[in-house]
Amino acid sequence: MEIIIATGNAGKVREFKRMLEPLGYTVFSQKEKGISVDVEETGGTFAENALIKARAVWEQAHTAVIADDSGLCVDALDGRPGVYSARYAGEPCDDKKNNEKLLKAMDGVENRAAQFVSVICYIDPQGKDHYFRGECPGEVGFEEKGDGGFGYDPLFMVG
């Protein structure tokens, strides 16, 4: 079965391919399928934003589509950056600037508890949407570590 990943984020496409191709799915990015959509993530929840992205691609392809919206929800920041994680430091989106802003916001904060939240919207070939939510508890580190990740990976420590 063919599935299109509704994102322009190459890191996410790699992760979905790594997970789904061994299960027998043929996975394409929207770019590989020649689909160019520029959607505004205007939803107030991860599920709403995932649906907005998935539906925009499904409307062009009429085949199975997966989109996600995910972000880091920090307890001490009342859940921020949350649905604004990708653009926390403003446009254009920049992982390094987002991490720097988060470190600044957490300066002197003892409670560093956070959750990485991801909601996947899968639209089947018939156009019905299905949702899957996962949360990974952890905490915000004091400095960036590691390499090969993207987003808040250098700061988020699984707990």
Side-chain angles (χ1 to χ4, degrees):
M1 182 168 125
E2 180 178 293
I3 300 176
I4 299 172
I5 309 303
T7 184
N9 184 319
K12 285 184 183 181
V13 171
R14 274 194 310 275
E15 287 184 354
F16 277 111
K17 284 185 177 201
R18 190 185 69 218
M19 290 183 285
L20 296 174
E21 287 179 343
L23 300 174
Y25 295 97
T26 305
V27 180
F28 296 95
S29 69
Q30 66 185 49
K31 182 179 179 183
E32 290 173 311
K33 284 304 216 175
I35 298 172
S36 177
V37 291
D38 187 24
V39 296
E40 281 191 58
E41 295 180 30
T42 57
T45 67
F46 293 117
E48 290 170 353
N49 283 336
L51 175 62
I52 289 167
K53 293 184 274 190
R55 184 63 62 194
V57 172
W58 187 88
E59 290 293 336
Q60 289 191 34
H62 296 281
T63 191
V65 176
I66 290 176
D68 84 307
D69 195 41
S70 56
L72 188 62
C73 300
V74 180
D75 292 1
L77 302 178
D78 297 322
R80 289 185 313 275
V83 295
Y84 304 104
S85 291
R87 51 198 181 281
Y88 185 49
E91 296 286 349
C93 297
D94 183 305
D95 291 346
K96 184 83 171 146
K97 288 180 184 173
N98 287 339
N99 283 317
E100 288 169 358
K101 181 175 180 175
L102 179 59
L103 280 174
K104 233 178 238 183
M106 295 298 290
D107 189 38
V109 175
E110 284 189 41
N111 174 12
R112 302 184 78 81
Q115 301 78 44
F116 184 79
V117 177
S118 180
V119 174
I120 292 174
C121 177
Y122 167 70
I123 300 183
D124 64 33
Q126 292 74 40
K128 181 165 174 33
D129 47 293
H130 310 267
Y131 298 89
F132 308 89
R133 179 184 175 99
E135 295 186 20
C136 181
E139 56 187 41
V140 177
F142 291 90
E143 63 184 4
E144 294 185 34
K145 292 188 177 180
D147 58 358
F150 63 95
Y152 293 94
D153 290 353
L155 286 179
F156 183 68
M157 300 183 302
V158 175

